[in-house]
Amino acid sequence: IPSSYIRDDETRLDMYKRISAIGSEDDKQELLEELIDRFGDPGKAVMNLLDAALLRNTAHRAYITKIKQTNEKVTLSFWEKARIDGARIPEVVEAFSPYLTFVLSRLELVLDMGLNKKFPRKDFVSYLIAICEKICTIELPDEEKNEQT
């Protein structure tokens, strides 16, 4: 957060803490409205920070431990003990076809933005958040989670 946007260090630190806790698009919009009301237009750096926080927290809920971009591809790596229904991964892949594939040997989803020039590159972070949200829908029920551990 630029000091020119929020001048007071304590207030800026508080905003960092609140941004880091963003857990949903609604949380993000609520905090964005507050930022605008209190400090004006947040600018690109703050907007990127809001998006990054939402992606990080959504990915965590989806058992994604690493997101890596290499050229036109983004790889999402699952935690080896992810509590998701593996039989339902094709649902996630199908929902984002043809851009998304699953690599079983590495427990990774690969988003290939180079497959189509019309891919919304400008909004690819929102696309990644949507993938993570979809993964959250295939989480194992609590009873099955306990059987896996």
Side-chain angles (χ1 to χ4, degrees):
I1 301 173
S3 59
S4 59
Y5 182 61
I6 300 177
R7 297 192 189 287
D8 180 66
D9 290 342
E10 191 173 322
T11 303
R12 196 168 52 255
L13 182 59
D14 179 58
M15 278 300 159
Y16 273 121
K17 288 178 186 176
R18 293 181 58 202
I19 289 170
S20 72
I22 291 173
S24 68
E25 186 62 35
D26 287 344
D27 292 346
K28 177 185 156 189
Q29 289 304 317
E30 188 177 305
L31 192 52
L32 177 59
E33 287 173 17
E34 181 181 340
L35 287 165
I36 292 169
D37 286 348
R38 291 178 66 187
F39 308 106
D41 179 25
K44 190 170 179 76
V46 175
M47 291 303 296
N48 287 344
L49 187 59
L50 293 169
D51 286 340
L54 179 56
L55 176 57
R56 183 187 68 244
N57 291 331
T58 307
H60 178 76
R61 283 195 324 274
Y63 301 99
I64 300 295
T65 58
K66 182 170 80 171
I67 299 173
K68 179 181 176 185
Q69 182 176 0
T70 308
N71 300 320
E72 297 286 315
K73 293 185 179 182
V74 179
T75 303
L76 296 93
S77 302
F78 283 99
W79 178 44
E80 62 188 31
K81 295 181 182 179
R83 295 176 182 153
I84 57 171
D85 185 349
R88 294 185 60 199
I89 287 177
E91 290 176 34
V92 176
V93 172
E94 181 65 28
F96 297 94
S97 179
Y99 306 111
L100 194 65
T101 56
F102 180 65
V103 182
L104 178 61
S105 62
R106 295 191 312 262
L107 294 177
E108 295 176 342
L109 287 168
V110 179
L111 175 65
D112 190 342
M113 298 179 289
L115 290 175
N116 186 329
K117 292 183 188 221
K118 294 181 181 179
F119 183 86
R121 283 172 184 76
K122 180 179 157 191
D123 297 323
F124 93 94
V125 172
S126 297
Y127 206 80
L128 291 173
I129 292 167
I131 291 169
C132 292
E133 288 173 342
K134 181 68 174 173
I135 293 166
C136 289
T137 69
I138 65 168
E139 184 176 12
L140 290 171
D142 286 337
E143 315 81 65
E144 293 182 49
K145 285 182 196 177
N146 292 335
E147 290 173 14
Q148 273 194 349
T149 56

